[in-house]
């Protein structure tokens, strides 16, 4: 650990990192913040992604392996006071570790190469917690990519990064692509495009999910607009066997993605 503890919240280093809590500055600087030991651990596994690491003395004692790993990889490690960490953290109770990382998303064409079998597409998804959880679910289900369309939340939003639990660093992520362009590329790869919507004519019980499939998930409150539903090969709903009105986005995505994953593995 080089240098003295950072205590001044107005220091240039802290201000430069702090500005990354705003989307405009993330896009301008091509960097974002990854907070917490899990996110930092996964970021460090990718060469050249982690640029700086801020840690409190307490976090340094709890996670010495992360400090050692960062140091060995040439990452600048800065011990920060609790006040400085509170400035950098976007949580009520900071975990004492915040990394400055380079953006990791890839172009649509690169994400969809290599005959993908399962892809999650987020269209008009605005809640960062839901979006991050869908990334985590897609990763767990073995998806080949996650696509954020041009009307969706920024996957580098702090809450989204935390909700992904490191999955942002595991699989190809695409941002800002128009739905029509995404669907065209999916079909060029031989994928069936299914829209998940509560008003779907068919349920998961009715459709064959054994082939390469891309799922489109919509906004938490109003679902998918008609023009996006029209782009899909089929509109499918999760069957509700009990009395619940519906499932939230993350839960519905988990059911759909795991249904596809299982069907592909037993076919």
């Amino acid at each position: 650990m080089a240098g003295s503890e950072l205590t001044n919240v107005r220091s240039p280093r802290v201000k430069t990192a702090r500005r990354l809590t705003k989307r405009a500055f993330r896009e301008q600087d091509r960097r974002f913040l990854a907070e917490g030991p899990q996110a930092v651990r996964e970021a460090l596994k990718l060469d050249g992604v982690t640029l700086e690491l801020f840690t409190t003395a307490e976090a340094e004692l709890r996670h010495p392996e992360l400090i050692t790993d960062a140091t060995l990889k040439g990452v600048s490690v800065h011990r920060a006071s609790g006040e400085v960490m509170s400035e950098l953290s976007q949580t009520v109770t900071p975990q004492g570790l915040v990394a400055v990382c380079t953006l990791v998303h890839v172009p649509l064409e690169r994400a969809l190469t290599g005959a993908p079998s399962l892809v999650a597409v987020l269209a008009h998804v605005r809640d960062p917690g839901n979006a991050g959880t869908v990334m985590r679910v897609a990763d767990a289900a073995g998806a080949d990519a996650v696509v954020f369309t041009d009307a969706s939340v920024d996957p580098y939003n702090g809450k989204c990064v935390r909700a992904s639990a490191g999955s942002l660093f595991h699989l190809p992520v695409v941002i800002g692509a128009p739905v029509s362009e995404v669907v065209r590329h999916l079909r060029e790869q031989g994928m069936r495009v299914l829209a998940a919507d509560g008003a779907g004519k068919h349920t998961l019980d009715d459709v064959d999910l054994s082939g390469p499939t891309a799922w489109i998930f919509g906004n938490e409150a109003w679902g998918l607009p008609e023009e996006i539903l029209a782009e899909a090969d089929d509109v499918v709903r999760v069957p509700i066997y009990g009395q619940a009105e519906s499932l939230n986005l993350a839960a519905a995505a988990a059911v759909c993605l795991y249904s596809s994953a299982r069907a592909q593995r037993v076919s």
Side-chain angles (χ1 to χ4, degrees):
M1 180 75 64
S4 59
E5 183 177 79
L6 290 170
T7 59
N8 184 0
V9 297
R10 295 182 177 84
S11 72
R13 188 181 300 279
V14 175
K15 289 173 67 175
T16 298
R18 172 65 181 169
R19 68 190 246 129
L20 300 177
T21 60
K22 304 294 184 182
R23 182 171 188 167
F25 291 124
R26 291 195 292 269
E27 293 175 350
Q28 180 178 318
D29 296 352
R30 306 290 298 169
R31 300 178 178 185
F32 71 104
L33 299 179
E35 181 178 353
Q38 179 64 15
V40 170
R41 182 177 295 107
E42 301 310 306
L44 285 169
K45 291 179 181 178
L46 299 180
D47 291 339
V49 166
T50 306
L51 304 176
E52 291 183 280
L53 178 60
F54 295 86
T55 176
T56 60
E58 293 80 8
E60 185 182 347
L61 291 174
R62 287 196 304 270
H63 306 285
E65 76 287 356
L66 297 181
I67 308 305
T68 299
D69 191 16
T71 302
L72 291 174
K73 292 183 176 180
V75 175
S76 298
V77 180
H78 314 291
R79 182 179 292 163
S81 67
E83 186 178 8
V84 167
M85 189 57 65
S86 293
E87 281 293 304
L88 298 176
S89 174
Q90 298 176 68
T91 60
V92 176
T93 306
Q95 298 181 67
L97 287 166
V98 174
V100 176
C101 301
T102 60
L103 304 187
V104 295
H105 63 275
V106 300
L108 180 63
E109 296 82 357
R110 177 178 163 189
L112 299 184
T113 57
S117 58
L118 184 60
V119 172
V121 180
L122 282 69
H124 298 270
V125 174
R126 303 292 175 83
D127 182 88
N130 268 332
T133 302
V134 172
M135 273 196 286
R136 184 177 183 179
V137 168
D139 182 18
D144 298 287
V146 176
V147 180
F148 285 70
T149 64
D150 51 5
S152 288
V153 67
D154 179 15
Y156 300 114
N157 172 290
K159 186 175 182 181
C160 191
V161 175
R162 292 192 301 278
S164 81
S167 291
L168 173 63
F169 302 104
H170 293 167
L171 73 176
V173 174
V174 177
I175 66 173
V179 173
S180 58
E181 181 183 351
V182 174
V183 171
R184 177 171 61 82
H185 277 83
L186 291 168
R187 290 207 174 104
E188 287 175 355
Q189 291 296 319
M191 303 195 79
R192 186 183 184 194
V193 180
L194 300 179
D197 191 272
K201 292 182 179 179
H202 302 108
T203 73
L204 279 172
D205 297 334
D206 305 323
V207 294
D208 179 7
L209 298 174
S210 60
T213 302
W215 283 97
I216 303 179
F217 304 108
N219 182 272
E220 298 82 352
W222 58 81
L224 290 165
E226 289 297 327
E227 60 269 21
I228 293 180
L229 294 176
E231 295 267 10
D233 296 311
D234 202 349
V235 181
V236 181
R237 71 180 188 275
V238 176
I240 302 295
Y241 303 120
Q243 299 183 58
E245 179 187 5
S246 62
L247 295 174
N248 70 11
L249 169 63
V255 173
C256 293
L257 291 169
Y258 265 93
S259 293
S260 285
R262 182 180 183 280
Q264 290 174 4
R265 281 160 175 75
V266 301
S267 61

